[in-house]
Amino acid sequence: MSKPIIDADACIACGACADACPMDVIEVEDVATVANEDDCVGCGACADACPVGAIEIED
Ligand code: SF4
Ligand code: SF4
């Protein structure tokens, strides 16, 4: 299953990825983190939503 890799240095904590995630597995405090990787379905919506390209989807 593909998983998002979030670049904490690039993240501006805007919350767009968390809003876009259909599984609600991303939490944003100082930076975005995948709070519950087991529920991630690898759809890539978070990466598509990120305005600064901080999320890559890796296998
Ligand atoms: S890949 Fe899809 S399910 Fe996984 S964190 Fe991103 S938006 Fe959510
Ligand atoms: S969409 Fe990108 S910049 Fe915004 S909180 Fe998520 S990872 Fe960070």
Side-chain angles (χ1 to χ4, degrees):
M1 181 73 76
S2 301
K3 299 289 179 193
I5 307 296
I6 301 174
D7 182 344
D9 291 330
C11 175
I12 58 172
C14 68
C17 53
D19 289 343
C21 178
M23 303 302 290
D24 201 23
V25 302
I26 299 178
E27 286 185 4
V28 182
E29 290 185 11
D30 293 335
V31 297
T33 55
V34 182
N36 190 352
E37 265 201 353
D38 289 345
D39 285 346
C40 171
V41 295
C43 64
C46 53
D48 290 343
C50 181
V52 296
I55 304 179
E56 274 186 48
I57 304 295
E58 288 192 355
D59 288 331

